[in-house]
């Protein structure tokens, strides 16, 4: 078997080549259609140039469309060569020569880029001939075309071609990953990659400012600095907006629905000149606008739909079904993602116009809020403002062409196969930080993205009065399709009267922020990866290690054969088996003593080293464990309790009864469901039942403080459901040795969601009819 493994791996890699190439074929089709649309008017323009009333001269046409026909021919030849090879696929199929030839023709792109400025000036002059074109009605359409052309330059005539090289370079990376060194394509692909990378590095610096620049007056340029989708709070209702920060104004627009195949358009809702914009200060006693909250159950239902649709899209692609089916699915996907983006953020970000009007946005992270403020304040130092109503309309229309966020941010690279992100657990060690200019009380928070928005996952302890904090704290963070890890450094303010709150935010001040991309290839080797995140002179040292979903979804019992973490719950207590385990009682008592108002209790990760220290103390029945717990961060204690249930050899609900619970929760009739679920619960072994009831009462008390700790019954069920019900490896539906990566749908599978729903059902029951006297004698026994 060991000798066959390389062969299996090789065949899998070669099969991946086909899917990568299928993706580039689909995007090449789209790119060719863009070039075709651009070339469509060129022939009649050339014909009119030979008449007595030319729309454009031959020289103007040559300048504006310089090298576009050649680009079309290059990519048409590439597409026509690649298509039949992919259709007649075999592991021996060669494509390296096509990519090498494509790379060798990048000189055409170089000439195209070098001509850009002249082409832009020529198009601008043609657009200014308004009076001439207005006299002839049939020529008016050409004037509109030229207006469109001027705006289209930023993407179709410049960004699109260069973006094509970028995409081809990424495809070459992917192909090389799955092409054995012995394959004849390997040296050809390496050569093509080298040429492409050299080309991109030579022009990237000059392309970025050109792509985002828009002429507004002679000699002046308005530049797009930043844009993103955001949720605006309008009279208590959530409205999806697209927000643009230009060099002189902040513009909020609404994306119109596409009708009859027309291109996207924007409606400008409002704008604020940067010279008039401020961030309104909120007094401690002033209420932040009421934010309409969406139940967690609804958000999770959206995530499940998104996962299912993405899985359907991938299945249709593998089956080579028609593009119409895939387009319908993508439309559904976009609708669900837009809905999730609209409903998920709850953090206020307010901007104020000096004319007295304020606007409130909702975002998901302190990181974005700080980033927007920094960008605006930096630009305010050097901006002037002038905008006529006509220019405003042109600016709003041009947003479709200028925007850098082309789709709802949850769906990335829709034209190509999208990266599903990482599922599993990310262990992060926050080592230390340097670069602070004065002693402060410093701590860090960690965020990861999930379904397009960021969630706070961990927080270090506060390191007091220092410029060089050494936390050396490890956290275990669950990833759900995550692609980015963010870190924010804060200065803790203990005297809250010294600082004025903005937008209802915490008075703790952000000292720096940074992020790293979670590269699946770099993290697959399961070793610790050290990295440094730089943030405005501050450097934070981290180590990260990833455990994939196929391992994290399995019940991983402790290897220790004695002690609290190594035996079944039924024999944890040695004298009376009916007692709640000592570790459970101790952790619950400490959390109820000082953790009930901790934001994100049970969700925010505790320090891994503290958790392991507590585990070791319980393992040897250390009498000083209560002293240890009193000195530890409460999130570490919550993490220890979760780890205890996760490392039981079988789940609290037992492997035997687990399938019955899964079937019972799916019943439609509420009376039948209640009867089934309660009978199953009472069928649990007595130690399991008593421990669960004890934990259930505790979790309900935690949820009673939801207004403070932000942990609803559903949040708690999401955290504890898989922990209490996830079956042992032998009974799990998850393959022990998966032949392909665990997909997005697997992570939000019916099995996992069923586990959440079972626990949520019992949490929502007002009473569970068990003998009260029996519960009292069991739950409140003080013997160890």
């Amino acid at each position: 078997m060991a000798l066959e493994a390389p062969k299996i791996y090789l065949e899998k890699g070669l099969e991946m080549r086909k899917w990568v190439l299928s993706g580039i074929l689909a995007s090449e089709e789209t790119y060719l259609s863009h070039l075709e649309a651009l070339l469509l008017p060129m022939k009649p323009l050339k014909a009119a140039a030979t008449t007595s009333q030319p729309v454009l001269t031959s020289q103007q046409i040559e300048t504006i469309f310089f090298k576009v026909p050649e680009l079309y021919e290059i990519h048409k030849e590439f597409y026509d060569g690649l298509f039949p090879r992919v259709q007649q696929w075999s592991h021996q199929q060669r494509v390296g020569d096509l990519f090498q030839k494509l790379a060798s023709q990048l000189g055409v792109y170089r000439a195209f880029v070098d001509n850009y400025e002249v082409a832009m000036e020529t198009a601008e002059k043609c657009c200014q001939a308004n009076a001439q074109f207005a006299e002839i009605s049939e020529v008016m359409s050409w004037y509109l075309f030229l207006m469109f052309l001027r705006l289209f330059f930023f993407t179709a005539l410049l960004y699109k071609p260069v973006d094509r090289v970028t995409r081809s370079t990424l495809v070459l990376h992917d192909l090389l990953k799955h092409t054995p060194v012995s394959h004849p394509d390997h040296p050809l692909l390496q050569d093509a990659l080298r040429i492409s990378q050299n080309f991109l590095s030579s022009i990237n610096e000059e392309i970025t400012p050109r792509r985002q620049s828009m002429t507004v007056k002679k000699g002046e340029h308005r530049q797009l600095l930043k844009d993103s989708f955001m949720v605006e709070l309008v009279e208590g209702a959530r409205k999806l907006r697209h927000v643009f920060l230009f060099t002189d104004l902040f513009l909020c627009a609404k994306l119109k629905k596409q009708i009859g195949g027309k291109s996207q358009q924007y409606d400008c809702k409002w704008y604020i000149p940067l010279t008039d914009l401020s961030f309104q200060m909120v007094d401690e006693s002033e209420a932040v606008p009421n934010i309409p909250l969406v139940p967690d159950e609804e958000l999770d239902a959206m995530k499940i739909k998104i996962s299912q649709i993405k899985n359907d899209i991938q299945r249709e692609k593998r089956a080579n079904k028609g593009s119409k089916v895939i387009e319908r699915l993508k439309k559904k996907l976009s609708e669900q993602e837009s809905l999730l983006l609209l409903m998920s953020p709850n953090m206020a970000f307010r901007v104020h116009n000096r004319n007295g009007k304020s606007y409130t946005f909702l975002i998901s992270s302190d990181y974005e809020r700080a980033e927007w403020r920094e960008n605006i304040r930096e630009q305010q130092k050097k901006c002037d403002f002038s905008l006529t109503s006509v220019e405003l309309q042109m600016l709003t229309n041009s947003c479709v062409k200028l925007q850098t966020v082309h789709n709802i941010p949850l769906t990335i690279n829709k034209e190509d196969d999208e990266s599903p992100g990482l599922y599993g657990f990310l262990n992060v060690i926050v080592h230390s930080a340097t670069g602070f200019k004065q002693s402060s009380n410093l701590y860090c928070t960690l965020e990861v993205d999930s379904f397009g928005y960021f969630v706070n996952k961990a927080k270090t302890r506060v390191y007091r009065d220092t410029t060089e904090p050494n936390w050396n704290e490890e956290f275990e963070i669950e990833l759900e399709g995550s692609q980015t890890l963010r870190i924010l450094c804060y200065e803790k303010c203990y005297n809250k009267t010294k600082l004025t709150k903005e937008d209802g935010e915490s008075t703790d001040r952000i000292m720096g922020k940074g992020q790293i991309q979670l590269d699946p290839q770099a993290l697959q080797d399961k070793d610790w990866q050290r990295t440094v995140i730089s943030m405005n002179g501050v450097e934070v040292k981290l180590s990260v290690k990833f455990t994939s979903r196929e391992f994290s979804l399995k019940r991983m019992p402790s290897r220790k054969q004695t002690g609290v973490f190594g035996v079944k719950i039924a024999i944890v207590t040695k004298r009376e088996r009916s007692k709640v385990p000592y570790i459970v009682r101790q952790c619950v008592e400490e959390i109820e003593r000082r953790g009930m108002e901790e934001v994100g209790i049970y969700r925010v990760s505790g320090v891994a080293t503290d958790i392991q220290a507590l585990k070791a103390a319980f393992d040897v029945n250390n009498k000083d464990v209560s002293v240890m717990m009193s000195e530890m961060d409460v999130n570490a204690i919550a993490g220890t309790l979760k780890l205890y249930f996760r490392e039981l050899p079988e789940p609290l609900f037992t492997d035997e009864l687990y399938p019955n619970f899964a079937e019972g929760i799916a019943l439609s009739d509420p009376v039948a469901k209640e009867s089934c679920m309660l009978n199953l619960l009472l069928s649990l072994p007595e130690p399991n039942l008593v421990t669960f009831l004890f934990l259930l009462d505790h979790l309900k008390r935690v949820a009673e403080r939801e207004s403070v700790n932000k942990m609803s019954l559903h949040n708690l069920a999401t955290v504890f459901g898989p922990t209490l019900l996830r079956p042992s490896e032998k009974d799990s539906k998850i393959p022990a040795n998966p032949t392909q990566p665990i997909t997005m749908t697997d992570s939000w599978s019916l099995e996992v969601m069923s586990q959440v729903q079972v626990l949520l059902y019992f949490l929502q029951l007002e009473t569970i009819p068990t003998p009260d006297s029996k519960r009292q004698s069991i739950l409140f026994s003080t013997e160890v």
Side-chain angles (χ1 to χ4, degrees):
M1 293 298 293
L3 293 175
E4 294 179 3
K7 181 181 178 182
I8 294 172
Y9 177 80
L10 182 65
E11 291 178 353
K12 179 183 174 183
L14 291 170
E15 188 65 21
M16 285 296 296
R17 281 164 47 91
K18 181 180 178 180
W19 303 127
V20 172
L21 292 168
S22 298
I24 197 66
L25 270 177
S27 59
E28 279 287 314
E29 272 190 55
T30 303
Y31 179 52
L32 285 170
S33 68
H34 287 154
L35 294 179
E36 284 174 351
L38 193 59
L39 289 171
L40 188 64
M42 191 176 73
K43 186 174 181 180
L45 280 173
K46 282 187 173 181
T50 61
T51 66
S52 58
Q53 289 185 321
V55 178
L56 297 176
T57 67
S58 297
Q59 183 60 45
Q60 287 171 332
I61 296 170
E62 175 64 25
T63 301
I64 292 173
F65 292 93
F66 185 70
K67 294 299 180 183
V68 177
E70 289 86 345
L71 290 176
Y72 177 81
E73 291 302 324
I74 288 170
H75 282 272
K76 184 69 167 64
E77 182 184 359
F78 174 73
Y79 178 84
D80 290 343
L82 184 60
F83 183 80
R85 299 193 194 185
V86 175
Q87 290 293 102
Q88 302 167 7
W89 186 252
S90 71
H91 292 337
Q92 291 75 37
Q93 186 65 273
R94 299 174 62 173
V95 295
D97 57 311
L98 297 177
F99 282 93
Q100 189 182 44
K101 184 175 181 180
L102 186 65
S104 70
Q105 295 171 307
L106 287 176
V108 179
Y109 279 91
R110 177 78 264 179
F112 172 84
V113 171
D114 290 341
N115 180 69
Y116 168 75
E117 293 293 348
V118 177
M120 193 67 204
E121 290 174 8
T122 304
E124 188 71 27
K125 289 176 182 178
C126 294
C127 290
Q128 291 172 356
N130 189 356
Q132 174 187 351
F133 295 136
E135 293 175 3
I136 310 172
S137 59
E138 63 267 22
V139 181
M140 190 63 183
S141 60
W142 294 115
Y143 167 67
L144 293 176
F145 164 72
L146 290 171
M147 290 293 290
F148 167 75
L149 182 64
R150 182 179 73 164
L151 301 175
F152 198 70
F153 253 92
F154 302 100
T155 52
L157 287 188
L158 182 62
Y159 177 62
K160 288 285 184 185
V162 176
D163 183 47
R164 201 70 236 142
V165 183
T166 304
R167 287 177 182 271
S168 298
T169 305
L170 293 175
V171 169
L172 286 169
H173 272 291
D174 290 338
L175 280 176
L176 277 168
K177 287 177 189 174
H178 303 293
T179 302
V181 178
S182 58
H183 197 285
D185 267 350
H186 198 273
L188 300 177
L189 293 173
Q190 276 191 320
D191 187 51
L193 179 60
R194 177 186 57 79
I195 296 171
S196 299
Q197 287 177 328
N198 289 341
F199 172 79
L200 284 176
S201 62
S202 69
I203 66 168
N204 267 344
E205 291 185 3
E206 53 190 276
I207 290 303
T208 301
R210 287 176 181 176
R211 179 170 71 92
Q212 295 183 331
S213 175
M214 186 182 73
T215 303
V216 290
K217 289 184 180 180
K218 188 175 182 180
E220 298 178 10
H221 287 81
R222 172 175 290 119
Q223 288 187 325
L224 176 64
L225 302 177
K226 181 178 175 64
D227 74 313
S228 72
F229 285 92
M230 232 183 250
V231 177
E232 186 182 10
L233 199 57
V234 182
E235 297 180 354
R238 294 168 178 259
K239 303 289 184 181
L240 189 60
R241 303 292 194 229
H242 200 140
V243 181
F244 299 86
L245 174 62
F246 291 92
T247 43
D248 59 345
L249 78 154
F250 183 84
L251 185 144
C252 177
K254 174 188 176 182
L255 186 62
K256 290 182 180 179
K257 290 185 178 179
Q258 289 179 268
I259 302 175
K262 293 182 180 179
S263 61
Q264 291 180 326
Q265 291 183 322
Y266 279 103
D267 272 339
C268 175
K269 304 304 294 184
W270 51 266
Y271 71 91
I272 305 176
L274 293 191
T275 51
D276 294 343
L277 187 149
S278 65
F279 301 105
Q280 188 175 17
M281 296 298 180
V282 182
D283 185 79
E284 190 74 41
S285 61
E286 183 182 350
V288 178
N290 287 329
I291 298 173
L293 300 178
V294 180
D296 295 311
E297 295 90 328
E298 292 186 22
L299 296 178
D300 281 349
M302 296 176 205
K303 294 176 183 178
I304 295 169
K305 286 182 180 178
I306 289 171
S307 300
Q308 291 171 338
I309 295 171
K310 287 192 173 185
N311 191 56
D312 290 343
I313 290 173
Q314 294 305 315
R315 186 176 63 248
E316 295 296 333
K317 285 183 178 180
R318 289 193 293 269
N320 290 321
K321 292 291 182 66
S323 59
K324 289 184 178 180
V325 176
I326 295 176
E327 287 306 314
R328 282 199 298 270
L329 288 170
K330 284 186 174 181
K331 184 178 179 182
K332 288 183 181 179
L333 177 63
S334 180
E335 290 171 355
Q336 285 298 317
E337 289 177 328
S338 298
L339 188 60
L340 181 61
L341 176 67
L342 182 67
M343 298 304 180
S344 57
N346 293 315
M347 183 178 288
F349 168 54
R350 301 209 294 180
V351 294
H352 183 69
N353 194 330
R354 70 177 179 183
N355 67 11
K357 179 70 174 174
S358 294
Y359 304 92
T360 300
F361 293 101
L362 301 178
I363 55 181
S364 63
S365 167
D366 214 3
Y367 191 101
E368 277 98 3
R369 180 162 60 183
E371 194 168 53
W372 276 99
R373 286 206 188 107
E374 289 169 9
N375 279 269
I376 290 172
R377 283 172 173 153
E378 183 63 29
Q379 191 57 32
Q380 282 178 326
K381 298 174 184 176
K382 49 189 176 184
C383 75
D384 295 315
F385 177 76
S386 174
L387 189 68
T388 68
S389 59
V390 175
E391 288 170 338
L392 174 63
Q393 186 59 49
M394 289 180 61
L395 177 63
T396 307
N397 291 340
S398 72
C399 286
V400 173
K401 315 301 181 302
L402 287 172
Q403 66 184 33
T404 55
V405 181
H406 296 283
N407 300 299
I408 299 296
L410 313 184
T411 296
I412 304 169
N413 297 333
K414 287 192 177 184
E415 293 180 7
D416 302 321
D417 288 337
E418 24 185 294
S419 169
L422 291 172
Y423 288 86
F425 285 93
L426 185 72
N427 286 74
V428 182
I429 301 176
V430 184
H431 294 293
S432 60
T434 57
F436 295 102
K437 295 179 180 178
Q438 59 185 28
S439 292
S440 305
N441 303 314
L442 302 167
Y443 69 93
C444 292
T445 62
L446 299 174
E447 298 179 349
V448 293
D449 57 310
S450 173
F451 287 85
Y453 61 96
F454 280 82
V455 181
N456 183 22
K457 288 288 189 176
K459 176 182 174 182
T460 69
R461 70 183 186 278
V462 179
Y463 215 98
R464 303 290 292 266
D465 299 320
T466 183
T467 57
E468 295 187 357
N470 285 283
W471 293 287
N472 289 315
E473 296 181 26
E474 182 183 342
F475 302 93
E476 185 179 71
I477 297 173
E478 187 168 8
L479 304 181
E480 298 168 340
S482 306
Q483 296 178 334
T484 306
L485 170 68
R486 287 176 170 175
I487 185 165
L488 296 96
C489 285
Y490 290 86
E491 177 188 9
K492 182 72 176 176
C493 179
Y494 291 100
N495 186 350
K496 298 192 184 240
T497 61
K498 288 185 177 181
L499 292 177
T500 308
K501 294 178 82 175
E502 276 186 17
D503 299 346
E505 67 182 301
S506 166
T507 55
D508 295 345
R509 184 160 64 100
I510 293 180
M511 303 293 288
K513 58 182 176 35
Q515 62 185 21
I516 56 172
Q517 297 304 307
L518 300 176
D519 180 7
Q521 295 299 321
L523 293 171
Q524 283 301 332
D525 59 11
K526 300 179 185 177
D527 290 332
W528 286 100
Q529 309 285 328
R530 290 185 69 94
T531 185
V532 176
I533 297 182
S534 299
M535 43 180 84
N536 298 327
V538 175
E539 290 189 343
V540 179
K541 295 182 176 64
L542 300 177
S543 292
V544 295
K545 182 175 69 172
F546 173 64
T547 304
S548 63
R549 176 64 81 182
E550 58 262 36
F551 295 102
S552 64
L553 277 180
K554 297 175 186 175
R555 179 165 293 276
M556 303 295 286
S558 172
R559 296 178 181 178
K560 188 176 179 67
Q561 296 304 309
T562 60
V564 173
F565 280 82
V567 296
K568 292 185 178 180
I569 194 168
I571 55 174
V572 164
T573 51
K574 296 180 180 179
R575 299 182 201 170
E576 292 185 39
R577 292 172 53 178
S578 59
K579 292 179 183 175
V580 174
Y582 177 60
I583 179 177
V584 177
R585 284 190 281 128
Q586 287 291 97
C587 289
V588 165
E589 287 170 7
E590 190 65 24
I591 290 167
E592 295 201 352
R593 185 175 71 84
R594 59 188 178 93
M596 299 294 276
E597 296 188 354
E598 182 76 16
V599 176
I601 187 67
Y602 289 119
R603 188 188 69 229
V604 175
S605 173
V607 179
T609 48
D610 288 350
I611 293 173
Q612 292 301 319
L614 265 182
K615 172 184 174 179
F618 278 114
D619 273 342
V620 298
N621 199 20
N622 192 324
K623 299 300 182 182
D624 296 326
V625 70
S626 58
V627 177
M628 288 179 61
M629 294 174 71
S630 66
E631 297 173 350
M632 279 188 177
D633 177 67
V634 72
N635 288 312
I637 298 167
T640 304
L641 182 61
K642 289 189 294 181
L643 182 64
Y644 168 74
F645 287 113
R646 206 165 93 200
E647 290 201 353
L648 287 172
E650 73 169 354
L652 196 65
F653 279 54
T654 73
D655 289 328
E656 180 183 356
L657 292 177
Y658 169 71
N660 303 92
F661 279 107
E663 292 174 7
I665 198 63
L667 293 174
S668 301
D669 179 55
V671 177
K673 179 186 288 189
E674 181 174 351
S675 174
C676 175
M677 296 297 282
L678 288 177
N679 275 295
L680 285 171
L681 185 67
L682 297 177
S683 299
L684 289 173
E686 186 176 359
N688 299 53
L689 174 61
V690 171
T691 301
F692 173 66
L693 293 176
F694 180 83
L695 179 65
L696 191 72
D697 289 341
H698 164 65
L699 295 180
K700 288 183 177 181
R701 288 192 291 273
V702 172
E704 288 173 0
R705 309 281 185 90
E706 179 189 352
S707 60
V708 180
N709 61 35
K710 311 301 180 186
M711 292 301 290
S712 63
L713 290 176
H714 187 274
N715 283 338
L716 293 165
T718 301
V719 171
F720 275 96
T723 300
L724 300 181
L725 282 106
R726 181 177 297 150
S728 303
E729 184 175 335
K730 62 183 174 62
D731 295 309
S732 177
K733 297 176 185 178
I734 299 163
N737 296 298
T739 57
Q740 58 185 14
I742 299 296
T743 65
M744 196 167 214
T745 302
D746 293 315
S747 71
W748 279 87
S749 65
L750 293 177
E751 182 176 11
V752 174
M753 289 310 300
S754 174
Q755 295 160 6
V756 173
Q757 292 302 316
V758 169
L759 179 55
L760 183 61
Y761 182 82
F762 290 120
L763 283 168
Q764 291 175 335
L765 280 180
E766 291 187 9
T767 57
I768 295 178
T770 56
D772 288 342
S773 58
K774 186 175 181 181
R775 285 187 71 188
Q776 293 292 328
S777 64
I778 292 172
L779 299 185
F780 297 99
S781 172
T782 57
E783 294 183 37
V784 177

